[in-house]
């Protein structure tokens, strides 16, 4: 058995192919074609057959907890109530952020870091970024203008 596997090796196969290719025969291209076809056939035996089918589109079910027959006034009132909740949450988050900044400033002062100078640098960077955004025309309405428009919207809905 060892003798059989010694005679079958990629090295000997390549040498045999090279010797046949170098020989001046009219069948050189036929030999190349057969060698390529056999290689392709062997590889095709090892590649598994798999057919991929496109998945079926999912069925979308819309669940609505809101009444479909709501009036515009009810929708606006709901929007205004949600906006008030959002504003309250943002105010609380701003207070927490301010308390965090104060705690870090106190820690900085306790460790002899010049907190005021750092705050001035931060404000200067923010002012420069705002000026660059305004120069590029990337600035939208101010927070005051947005708050006014929301208040006007809710006032108009109330009557």
């Amino acid at each position: 058995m060892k003798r059989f596997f010694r005679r079958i090796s990629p090295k000997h196969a390549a040498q045999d192919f090279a010797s046949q290719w170098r020989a001046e025969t009219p069948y050189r291209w036929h030999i190349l074609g057969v060698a390529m076809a056999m290689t392709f056939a062997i590889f095709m035996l090892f590649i598994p057959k798999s057919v991929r089918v496109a998945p079926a589109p999912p069925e979308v079910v819309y669940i609505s907890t809101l009444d479909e027959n709501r009036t515009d006034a009810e929708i606006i009132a709901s929007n205004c109530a949600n906006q008030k909740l959002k504003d309250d949450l943002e105010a609380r988050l701003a207070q927490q952020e301010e308390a965090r900044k104060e705690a870090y400033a106190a820690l900085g002062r306790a460790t002899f870091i010049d907190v005021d100078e750092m705050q001035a640098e931060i404000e200067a960077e923010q002012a420069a970024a705002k000026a660059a955004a305004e120069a590029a025309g990337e600035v939208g309405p101010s927070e005051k203008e947005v708050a006014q428009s929301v208040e006007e919207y809710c006032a108009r809905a109330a009557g």
Side-chain angles (χ1 to χ4, degrees):
M1 193 69 157
K2 287 183 181 178
R3 208 169 112 202
F4 176 74
F5 284 116
R6 242 184 286 163
R7 291 166 63 199
I8 299 175
S9 72
K11 179 180 176 186
H12 290 129
Q15 289 174 347
D16 288 345
F17 177 74
S19 67
Q20 290 298 320
W21 185 255
R22 286 189 194 112
E24 292 294 329
T25 64
Y27 305 109
R28 182 181 352 190
W29 290 104
H30 300 297
I31 294 170
L32 178 64
V34 169
M36 289 174 56
M38 292 299 292
T39 304
F40 179 76
I42 290 172
F43 277 113
M44 288 308 292
L45 288 175
F46 292 111
I47 295 175
K49 292 182 180 179
S50 64
V51 178
R52 297 195 180 251
V53 177
E59 290 184 29
V60 179
V61 178
Y62 294 98
I63 299 174
S64 178
T65 57
L66 302 174
D67 183 21
E68 293 180 13
N69 300 322
R70 295 185 304 160
T71 63
D72 286 344
E74 290 173 337
I75 293 171
I76 292 172
S78 171
N79 290 349
C80 290
N82 289 336
Q83 184 65 41
K84 186 173 190 263
L85 287 174
K86 180 183 171 195
D87 292 342
D88 291 344
L89 178 62
E90 286 179 356
R92 274 194 236 138
L93 290 174
Q95 287 175 349
Q96 289 176 351
E97 182 67 25
E98 191 61 35
R100 189 178 303 120
K101 285 180 182 179
E102 289 175 9
Y104 279 119
L107 178 65
R109 287 187 185 95
T111 56
F112 305 106
I113 296 175
D114 190 2
V115 178
D116 297 326
E117 180 183 333
M118 291 173 65
Q119 185 63 32
E121 288 177 11
I122 291 169
E123 289 173 359
E125 288 175 5
Q126 289 175 348
K130 185 177 179 181
E134 286 177 359
E138 297 173 356
V139 178
S142 68
E143 291 179 24
K144 185 178 179 183
E145 292 170 341
V146 171
Q148 270 184 336
S149 65
V150 170
E151 288 174 7
E152 289 173 2
Y153 174 78
C154 290
R156 220 179 311 132

